[in-house]
Amino acid sequence: VWGEKWAPMIPRFVAWMNKLKLPAVVVAMGKACRTACEAAAAAVGGWGHGSIACWDPLHNPKKEESNSEHGSILQRHAMVHLLLHLGVDAIAFDFDTFMFVDPRRRLEEIAEQHGADVLMTRHLDADCLNMGLIYIRASAKTAEWYSHYLSWLHLHPYEREQRAANSLLRFTNQAVSFPPRGMPEVKAVALDDTN
């Protein structure tokens, strides 16, 4: 999340993740969001005593205005990429996603039941996957798949991350330009959005 308009929402988000006992790394880019996240995380105990960390990958502490209020969706994918390579299952979701309970156990059950590597929500107004929520089980195969995906996404900024996921996971017949070669096969399953 980035931009001054989103900064006031971060303390509420952090408090809710803390209440759910859902460990989270908030990708909070730009001074306004980074400052709001750091204050909110400290209020709930920080990473050392709580379960919330803030990450601004574009921030250069030696040059305070190094990223002003800029951000990029690639940074969210960079965090997922890191977690998978560390052997940690990853859940990435849009800032406007509201959870009533910690979803980890249910997502793990669904993935196990379907033998899925990747779980994603569907788009509300189309028959395709939506990047609003993605759950990826950590394995050597998913880490390699995500490395190819992130590298390709970085080299093709004109493509949409969502269309790429649909194409590269073979969920729809959507195509992308210059698809990466040698991606391992992973099984993706669409989540029931009404549940």
Side-chain angles (χ1 to χ4, degrees):
V1 64
W2 67 88
E4 290 182 21
K5 292 180 182 179
W6 286 101
M9 298 299 296
I10 292 175
R12 294 178 187 150
F13 176 82
V14 167
W16 190 249
M17 291 299 102
N18 189 61
K19 184 173 183 163
L20 293 179
K21 297 183 178 18
L22 183 59
V25 177
V26 181
V27 182
M29 295 173 282
K31 185 176 182 180
C33 287
R34 181 180 63 255
T35 302
C37 186
E38 289 170 350
V44 297
W47 187 253
H49 300 318
S51 59
I52 307 295
C54 306
W55 184 49
D56 183 354
L58 304 176
H59 177 60
N60 178 352
K62 294 180 181 177
K63 191 175 180 185
E64 188 53 39
E65 296 305 315
S66 62
N67 70 338
S68 61
E69 295 305 317
H70 298 284
S72 166
I73 197 69
L74 288 176
Q75 308 319 318
R76 166 176 144 167
H77 293 292
M79 179 54 64
V80 171
H81 182 247
L82 290 169
L83 291 171
L84 293 174
H85 279 274
L86 290 171
V88 178
D89 293 355
I91 306 170
F93 51 92
D94 287 350
F95 198 64
D96 61 355
T97 301
F98 185 82
M99 299 185 194
F100 292 96
V101 296
D102 180 344
R104 291 176 294 177
R105 186 175 67 204
R106 181 69 181 131
L107 292 171
E108 291 165 1
E109 289 171 358
I110 293 169
E112 187 66 33
Q113 178 184 9
H114 294 281
D117 301 301
V118 178
L119 301 176
M120 291 178 71
T121 53
R122 288 182 182 270
H123 205 281
L124 292 176
D125 61 355
D127 188 24
C128 61
L129 298 173
N130 183 314
M131 293 301 272
L133 185 142
I134 182 169
Y135 168 77
I136 305 176
R137 297 171 88 182
S139 69
K141 182 171 62 171
T142 57
E144 181 183 350
W145 187 92
Y146 219 86
S147 290
H148 286 282
Y149 171 72
L150 181 58
S151 175
W152 177 88
L153 194 59
H154 179 73
L155 294 172
H156 300 85
Y158 51 86
E159 291 281 12
R160 297 245 332 142
E161 59 168 344
Q162 193 164 286
R163 184 172 62 216
N166 278 280
S167 175
L168 301 177
L169 291 169
R170 296 183 178 90
F171 189 78
T172 65
N173 290 328
Q174 294 176 14
V176 293
S177 59
F178 312 104
R181 297 179 184 180
M183 289 184 82
E185 290 288 324
V186 296
K187 183 177 180 181
V189 171
L191 292 166
D192 176 4
D193 291 331
T194 59
N195 195 353

